[in-house]
Amino acid sequence: MDEVEREERVAAGFAAGDEACMEAVHRRWRPLVHSLARRALGDEREAEDVTQQVFLAAWRGRGGYRPGPGGLGAWLTGITRHKVADALDARTRRARVADAARRFGPRPGPQPEPEQVVERVVVLGELARLPSAQQRVLSLAFYGDLTQTQIAERTGMPLGTVKSHMRRALHVLRRSLRTFPPQAIR
């Protein structure tokens, strides 16, 4: 049996749910998947996580595998691209939350109660998900104690835009914070 036939047989066994074939697929394609992830992410630990996610997703989605040009390697490469994109998105979200925490960080004075810390983390996380213009308007309003007119003057935005950003941001926050248990947000 030549190499092409062997790979086709392994791919068919993998798609059928044969664990031995999954092991062979992992052994054969793990170096490529890991290399692509490491190159794209620049972080060994994240690359390991993505590699595991790729093979888990491949195993779970093996019923959707259809042999085609490039075979199983091309299919796994596609999954890798999606998982790398997800990891980069998660990295961006973490950076936004960290940035929001720095900008809206703790104030000097007595330390807050644990419940207040949880509330603050939840609200900061939701704030970090807002577009930057809406974040800025809310920050100036609540932390800068500025009116909407003052925000418009300071930022150079039209007053109507400031009002729209404020309204949309508060609507999004209200809607997203409704999903948390009442004890998490007071």
Side-chain angles (χ1 to χ4, degrees), residues 89-106 120-121 123-129 135:
D89 287 344
R91 184 188 289 176
T92 301
R93 283 191 303 275
R94 286 191 307 270
R96 289 172 100 187
V97 168
D99 182 53
R102 278 190 298 278
R103 284 190 285 146
F104 307 120
R120 185 178 193 88
V121 167
V123 171
L124 287 174
E126 292 303 312
L127 281 172
R129 294 175 58 188
Q135 287 180 26

Side-chain angles (χ1 to χ4, degrees), residues 52-149:
Q52 289 178 354
Q53 291 171 21
V54 166
F55 284 100
L56 181 61
W59 182 250
R60 288 181 177 161
R62 68 189 179 274
Y65 170 69
R66 299 291 176 262
L72 195 55
W75 187 65
L76 290 170
T77 300
I79 295 171
T80 303
R81 285 193 350 255
H82 289 287
K83 294 300 180 184
V84 164
D86 292 346
L88 290 171
D89 287 344
R91 184 188 289 176
T92 301
R93 283 191 303 275
R94 286 191 307 270
R96 289 172 100 187
V97 168
D99 182 53
R102 278 190 298 278
R103 284 190 285 146
F104 307 120
R107 303 203 184 269
Q111 295 300 313
E113 294 294 318
E115 295 82 19
Q116 292 172 321
V117 172
V118 170
E119 291 171 6
R120 185 178 193 88
V121 167
V122 169
V123 171
L124 287 174
E126 292 303 312
L127 281 172
R129 294 175 58 188
L130 293 173
S132 60
Q134 292 178 10
Q135 287 180 26
R136 185 168 186 215
V137 167
L138 283 180
S139 173
L140 291 170
F142 292 105
Y143 296 105
D145 201 27
L146 299 178
T147 65
Q148 291 177 342
T149 303

Side-chain angles (χ1 to χ4, degrees), residues 33-34 37-38 41 43-52:
V33 168
H34 184 264
R38 188 179 61 238
L41 297 168
D43 181 86
E44 183 65 29
R45 198 176 81 217
E46 273 187 303
E48 281 295 329
D49 289 344
V50 165
T51 300
Q52 289 178 354

